[in-house]
PDB file of all heavy atoms in Angstrom:
ATOM      1  N   ASP A 139    -269.598 -22.153-222.251  1.00  0.00           N
ATOM      2  CA  ASP A 139    -269.973 -20.990-221.312  1.00  0.00           C
ATOM      3  C   ASP A 139    -268.986 -19.989-221.262  1.00  0.00           C
ATOM      4  O   ASP A 139    -269.222 -18.761-221.371  1.00  0.00           O
ATOM      5  CB  ASP A 139    -270.221 -21.504-219.949  1.00  0.00           C
ATOM      6  CG  ASP A 139    -271.550 -22.311-219.692  1.00  0.00           C
ATOM      7  OD1 ASP A 139    -272.351 -22.248-220.613  1.00  0.00           O
ATOM      8  OD2 ASP A 139    -271.714 -22.931-218.603  1.00  0.00           O
ATOM      9  N   LEU A 140    -267.688 -20.313-221.248  1.00  0.00           N
ATOM     10  CA  LEU A 140    -266.570 -19.310-221.144  1.00  0.00           C
ATOM     11  C   LEU A 140    -266.495 -18.543-222.435  1.00  0.00           C
ATOM     12  O   LEU A 140    -266.195 -17.284-222.320  1.00  0.00           O
ATOM     13  CB  LEU A 140    -265.349 -19.931-220.682  1.00  0.00           C
ATOM     14  CG  LEU A 140    -264.400 -20.661-221.511  1.00  0.00           C
ATOM     15  CD1 LEU A 140    -263.337 -19.622-222.155  1.00  0.00           C
ATOM     16  CD2 LEU A 140    -263.560 -21.668-220.815  1.00  0.00           C
ATOM     17  N   LEU A 141    -266.673 -19.230-223.574  1.00  0.00           N
ATOM     18  CA  LEU A 141    -266.557 -18.524-224.846  1.00  0.00           C
ATOM     19  C   LEU A 141    -267.741 -17.509-225.117  1.00  0.00           C
ATOM     20  O   LEU A 141    -267.597 -16.489-225.738  1.00  0.00           O
ATOM     21  CB  LEU A 141    -266.456 -19.564-226.010  1.00  0.00           C
ATOM     22  CG  LEU A 141    -265.128 -20.265-226.061  1.00  0.00           C
ATOM     23  CD1 LEU A 141    -265.288 -21.363-227.023  1.00  0.00           C
ATOM     24  CD2 LEU A 141    -263.935 -19.377-226.435  1.00  0.00           C
ATOM     25  N   SER A 142    -268.872 -17.815-224.550  1.00  0.00           N
ATOM     26  CA  SER A 142    -270.105 -17.052-224.826  1.00  0.00           C
ATOM     27  C   SER A 142    -270.317 -15.946-223.792  1.00  0.00           C
ATOM     28  O   SER A 142    -271.176 -15.070-223.967  1.00  0.00           O
ATOM     29  CB  SER A 142    -271.267 -17.878-224.939  1.00  0.00           C
ATOM     30  OG  SER A 142    -271.572 -18.578-223.782  1.00  0.00           O
ATOM     31  N   TYR A 143    -269.483 -15.965-222.667  1.00  0.00           N
ATOM     32  CA  TYR A 143    -269.748 -14.939-221.589  1.00  0.00           C
ATOM     33  C   TYR A 143    -269.506 -13.525-222.103  1.00  0.00           C
ATOM     34  O   TYR A 143    -268.507 -13.328-222.711  1.00  0.00           O
ATOM     35  CB  TYR A 143    -268.899 -15.331-220.362  1.00  0.00           C
ATOM     36  CG  TYR A 143    -269.174 -14.463-219.173  1.00  0.00           C
ATOM     37  CD1 TYR A 143    -270.226 -14.777-218.321  1.00  0.00           C
ATOM     38  CD2 TYR A 143    -268.418 -13.386-218.911  1.00  0.00           C
ATOM     39  CE1 TYR A 143    -270.461 -14.021-217.216  1.00  0.00           C
ATOM     40  CE2 TYR A 143    -268.670 -12.570-217.763  1.00  0.00           C
ATOM     41  CZ  TYR A 143    -269.623 -12.902-216.920  1.00  0.00           C
ATOM     42  OH  TYR A 143    -269.892 -12.143-215.807  1.00  0.00           O
ATOM     43  N   ASN A 144    -270.411 -12.665-221.761  1.00  0.00           N
ATOM     44  CA  ASN A 144    -270.234 -11.250-222.130  1.00  0.00           C
ATOM     45  C   ASN A 144    -270.020 -10.461-220.773  1.00  0.00           C
ATOM     46  O   ASN A 144    -270.915 -10.310-220.040  1.00  0.00           O
ATOM     47  CB  ASN A 144    -271.524 -10.860-222.892  1.00  0.00           C
ATOM     48  CG  ASN A 144    -271.324  -9.466-223.568  1.00  0.00           C
ATOM     49  OD1 ASN A 144    -270.162  -9.038-223.769  1.00  0.00           O
ATOM     50  ND2 ASN A 144    -272.397  -8.838-223.863  1.00  0.00           N
ATOM     51  N   TRP A 145    -268.838  -9.878-220.763  1.00  0.00           N
ATOM     52  CA  TRP A 145    -268.529  -9.053-219.583  1.00  0.00           C
ATOM     53  C   TRP A 145    -269.438  -7.820-219.713  1.00  0.00           C
ATOM     54  O   TRP A 145    -269.272  -7.112-220.763  1.00  0.00           O
ATOM     55  CB  TRP A 145    -267.122  -8.701-219.486  1.00  0.00           C
ATOM     56  CG  TRP A 145    -266.258  -9.844-219.108  1.00  0.00           C
ATOM     57  CD1 TRP A 145    -265.622 -10.677-219.841  1.00  0.00           C
ATOM     58  CD2 TRP A 145    -265.941 -10.176-217.728  1.00  0.00           C
ATOM     59  NE1 TRP A 145    -264.863 -11.630-219.091  1.00  0.00           N
ATOM     60  CE2 TRP A 145    -265.115 -11.336-217.725  1.00  0.00           C
ATOM     61  CE3 TRP A 145    -266.350  -9.744-216.509  1.00  0.00           C
ATOM     62  CZ2 TRP A 145    -264.677 -11.919-216.679  1.00  0.00           C
ATOM     63  CZ3 TRP A 145    -265.875 -10.328-215.337  1.00  0.00           C
ATOM     64  CH2 TRP A 145    -265.055 -11.444-215.474  1.00  0.00           C
ATOM     65  N   ASP A 146    -270.262  -7.543-218.677  1.00  0.00           N
ATOM     66  CA  ASP A 146    -271.227  -6.405-218.742  1.00  0.00           C
ATOM     67  C   ASP A 146    -270.691  -5.266-218.003  1.00  0.00           C
ATOM     68  O   ASP A 146    -270.476  -5.265-216.785  1.00  0.00           O
ATOM     69  CB  ASP A 146    -272.552  -6.955-218.111  1.00  0.00           C
ATOM     70  CG  ASP A 146    -273.665  -5.921-218.229  1.00  0.00           C
ATOM     71  OD1 ASP A 146    -273.411  -4.709-218.420  1.00  0.00           O
ATOM     72  OD2 ASP A 146    -274.811  -6.386-218.002  1.00  0.00           O
TER      73      ASP A 146
END
Side-chain angles (χ1 to χ4, degrees):
D139 286 349
L140 81 89
L141 289 169
S142 65
Y143 187 83
N144 192 21
W145 288 94
D146 183 342

